[in-house]
Amino acid sequence: MSGLGSALSELVGVLGHYNAFTRGVVEVGDLLYFLAWIAVFLFLNMMFIERRSRPGATTIFIGAVAICLAIGLTFNWLLTGQSFGRFDLTEDKIFTVSEATKTILDKLDTPCRLSSTSRPKTRCPPA
C-alpha cells in the first residue's frame, strides 16, 4: 500500500512523464501532460500581469490559481497510465515491437505476457 507521499508524487510528479522522453520515446499522453501544464501556467501568468494593473483583481487571481491547479491535477490524474500512442525516436527503434514479433503474436491462440532484459552490447552473444 502506498502512502500519501507516493500518491502526491504520482499526482503532481513530472518525473514519470519525463522519463520516457529521456529514453527517446515520445508518449502522446506525456506530451499532452506537458502541453496542459504549459497552458495552465501561461494563463496564470496572464492573470498575474493583469492583476498588477487592477487593484481588486487579487481575489480573482487566487480563485483562478485554485481552479487551474484543480484542472491541471485532474488532467494529470486522467492521463496517468493511459496510452494514446507513442513515437519511438531511438536510432534502431529499440522500444518498438518488430513486425516479425507482431506476426508471431497474432498467430497465438492464448494471451501471453512478454518480458525483456537488456545487456550492454559488449556482453551480448554474437548474432
Side-chain angles (χ1 to χ4, degrees):
M1 182 154 104
S2 63
L4 179 62
S6 297
L8 286 175
S9 175
E10 285 182 28
L11 185 62
V12 181
V14 175
L15 195 58
H17 297 282
Y18 179 70
N19 282 338
F21 288 116
T22 62
R23 291 191 325 253
V25 177
V26 177
E27 290 276 349
V28 175
D30 295 336
L31 193 61
L32 289 174
Y33 167 83
F34 286 112
L35 290 174
W37 279 111
I38 288 169
V40 163
F41 285 116
L42 283 175
F43 176 75
L44 288 176
N45 191 20
M46 180 190 70
M47 293 284 293
F48 180 77
I49 291 170
E50 186 173 328
R51 178 189 73 107
R52 293 189 319 184
S53 63
R54 288 189 186 178
T58 301
T59 55
I60 294 172
F61 176 70
I62 292 171
V65 167
I67 291 170
C68 285
L69 288 177
I71 289 171
L73 293 175
T74 302
F75 195 72
N76 185 27
W77 176 69
L78 291 172
L79 288 177
T80 300
Q82 300 294 324
S83 180
F84 301 105
R86 66 186 194 134
F87 303 100
D88 186 352
L89 302 177
T90 58
E91 185 176 338
D92 296 326
K93 306 283 186 226
I94 61 174
F95 294 105
T96 302
V97 177
S98 69
E99 290 301 320
T101 304
K102 288 180 186 177
T103 303
I104 292 169
L105 292 174
D106 284 340
K107 292 179 184 177
L108 295 177
D109 294 332
T110 58
C112 70
R113 181 176 173 189
L114 296 176
S115 62
S116 66
T117 58
S118 62
R119 297 182 188 176
K121 286 188 175 184
T122 57
R123 298 203 54 215
C124 287

